[in-house]
Amino acid sequence: MKLNYRGVQYEYNPPTVEFSPLDINSQELDWRFRNQNTSVAHQPNVNLTWRGVKYDNNPTSEGNIKQKSRWLMLRRQQKQCDRAESMHIRLANEIGLTQA
């Protein structure tokens, strides 16, 4: 399929998704199980640059997973520290201590 975007023409071939029909009536199944045999169409891995910052469009690459898991762990610890600090401040105010 030929497409045109801002004067630039390019060829686009959408990925095909294969599936097989189910023997069971789909009304009997939950929506999550109706198309179990469908394959997911993934985008190709591309290294991109936006305003001088390099990134890729593959969110499941190993480096990104490690970065995301580290960020989630640090964010969780920060939330726990913030919650504890808030509780300590409330307790100090309730018993009449002043903040130092």
Side-chain angles (χ1 to χ4, degrees), residues 27-66:
Q27 292 177 349
E28 298 172 6
L29 297 176
D30 192 323
W31 65 272
R32 294 171 291 174
F33 303 104
R34 288 186 186 160
N35 291 324
Q36 282 186 337
N37 294 331
T38 59
S39 62
V40 179
H42 296 286
Q43 290 184 346
N45 217 9
V46 179
N47 293 327
L48 303 168
T49 303
W50 186 72
R51 294 188 180 181
V53 178
K54 294 186 178 186
Y55 66 98
D56 61 35
N57 66 341
N58 185 8
T60 59
S61 67
E62 186 177 332
N64 286 341
I65 291 174
K66 287 181 181 179

